[in-house]
Amino acid sequence: MHRAYLSLGAALSGLGVILGAFAAHKLKEIAPDSVPTFQTGVQYQMYHAIALILVGMLFEKYPVKFMSWAGIAFLIGIILFSGSLYALAALKATGKVGLGGLGILTPIGGLFFIAGWVFFTLSVLNSK
């Protein structure tokens, strides 16, 4: 399981660099007002991709179920939080505003980030 978190973290970090470069160069030309929203998605994706790498590295040392739950929560958080911000920025860039009912995905993704850090903490505290 630790290799999955390491590889997902590495892949999502690389994707974060690509998306950040896209926002800084191309999105800035197309829809400059969408850049801050997009960059927030990239920023949190990078933080939690690194957290996934950390989970993968520490999985052997703290192999309790909470460490696995932390990795799952970080991954779901990236998909929901960052993904919804990317979608919002894309809609703003095309002249449409808002995600409608899907806008709730951003705070739900944030809750998954928080849950991931809680599970990470519980894993360390409950280890032998």
Side-chain angles (χ1 to χ4, degrees):
M1 184 62 98
H2 62 89
R3 284 186 179 171
Y5 292 128
L6 288 171
S7 60
L8 278 170
L12 287 167
S13 294
L15 180 60
V17 172
I18 293 167
L19 292 172
F22 167 74
H25 300 287
K26 195 64 179 168
L27 187 59
K28 187 195 259 184
E29 293 173 11
I30 300 169
D33 57 326
S34 296
V35 172
T37 301
F38 198 90
Q39 286 289 51
T40 299
V42 170
Q43 181 180 11
Y44 278 83
Q45 177 176 330
M46 290 299 291
Y47 292 155
H48 291 89
I50 293 168
L52 276 172
I53 292 170
L54 188 60
V55 166
M57 290 170 57
L58 296 176
F59 200 83
E60 299 279 326
K61 183 172 171 100
Y62 304 104
V64 295
K65 64 183 173 186
F66 293 125
M67 190 61 79
S68 183
W69 291 356
I72 292 166
F74 290 147
L75 181 60
I76 293 170
I78 290 169
I79 292 166
L80 295 179
F81 185 88
S82 295
S84 65
L85 290 179
Y86 299 147
L88 180 61
L91 289 172
K92 283 169 75 176
T94 60
K96 298 177 184 176
V97 179
L99 292 174
L102 297 177
I104 192 68
L105 295 178
T106 308
I108 291 172
L111 290 174
F112 273 96
F113 286 151
I114 294 166
W117 288 111
V118 169
F119 290 139
F120 189 93
T121 302
L122 289 173
S123 178
V124 173
L125 291 175
N126 288 314
S127 67
K128 295 179 183 184

